[in-house]
Amino acid sequence: EPEVTQTPSHQVTQMGQEVILRCVPISNHLYFYWYRQILGQKVEFLVSFYNNEISEKSEIFDDQFSVERPDGSNFTLKIRSTKLEDSAMYFCASTTAYNQPQHFGDGTRLSIL
Amino acid sequence: GDSVTQMEGPVTLSEEAFLTINCTYTATGYPSLFWYVQYPGEGLQLLLKATKADDKGSNKGFEATYRKETTSFHLEKGSVQVSDSAVYFCALWDNYQLIWGAGTKLIIKP
């Protein structure tokens, strides 16, 4: 069965550094998402992406965050200047249509020191 | 805004016991409802879904019925196995995002 793949599985970064989290969605999917889960808290929506542009974003997704689909297969989340509170598990998801079940990757654990 | 409330865990059961994990929601309209499961060291996997009132989602022996009257979507399984040990998340679709419950950790002892 096709899978969403995320790399790296664990990223350790110094505060203030830029970090890029990578995702390869399922190939025929059209809608892409990032969620995050801070340890001990609920999974939270960050952003959705369709037709090469952001379709929705939460208030968490401020100017420090950006997303890109640079080559038609990868879907990346960039955090420009990381803060301690960005430490979380970040999940990428994709789906064929906006109201269909989302398929998730295994997540990237981001640790900011 | 919309929200999902799950029973707190961990829930510890013996193998072959009956499982119920409660989930209630608050939403305008009738959102699609989901259960996702996260096995140790893995990502979020869709377990089952229901898209309208009285729908029953089922998969791998798990079931959940969309109850509009009680705004609930409780997860049940008749006989759990050690391999069912995981964290279970209830979620609803809110037009453009999934809204998640806090997750319930399930521990099954042999």
Side-chain angles (χ1 to χ4, degrees), chain B residues 1-56:
Chain B
D2 295 359
S3 66
V4 175
T5 302
Q6 284 182 242
M7 63 189 292
E8 286 194 26
V11 173
T12 303
L13 295 172
S14 298
E15 208 165 18
E16 299 184 4
F18 184 87
L19 167 71
T20 301
I21 300 178
N22 290 338
C23 171
T24 57
Y25 67 90
T26 303
T28 52
Y30 304 106
S32 294
L33 302 173
F34 304 88
W35 278 100
Y36 279 83
V37 58
Q38 186 176 31
Y39 297 103
E42 298 185 17
L44 298 159
Q45 299 176 27
L46 177 67
L47 182 59
L48 53 84
K49 66 171 183 171
T51 57
K52 60 184 188 297
D54 299 326
D55 263 5
K56 179 186 281 188

Side-chain angles (χ1 to χ4, degrees), chain A residues 6-13 19 21 37-40 86-91 106-112, chain B residues 38 41-42:
Chain A
Q6 289 186 243
T7 54
S9 56
H10 190 193
Q11 174 80 45
V12 181
T13 301
V19 66
L21 309 183
Q37 185 181 28
I38 294 171
L39 188 63
D86 294 327
S87 296
M89 180 73 89
Y90 288 80
F91 291 104
D106 285 348
T108 293
R109 181 167 298 284
L110 178 62
S111 300
I112 307 301
Chain B
Q38 186 176 31
E42 298 185 17

Side-chain angles (χ1 to χ4, degrees), chain B residues 60-93:
Chain B
K60 298 181 181 180
F62 291 89
E63 292 182 340
T65 301
Y66 192 143
R67 301 281 187 206
K68 184 179 63 174
E69 320 78 43
T70 53
T71 60
S72 64
F73 192 54
H74 303 323
L75 183 68
E76 296 181 336
K77 186 175 185 184
S79 176
V80 292
Q81 306 300 314
V82 171
S83 56
D84 294 326
S85 298
V87 181
Y88 292 80
F89 294 89
C90 184
L92 67 82
W93 175 249

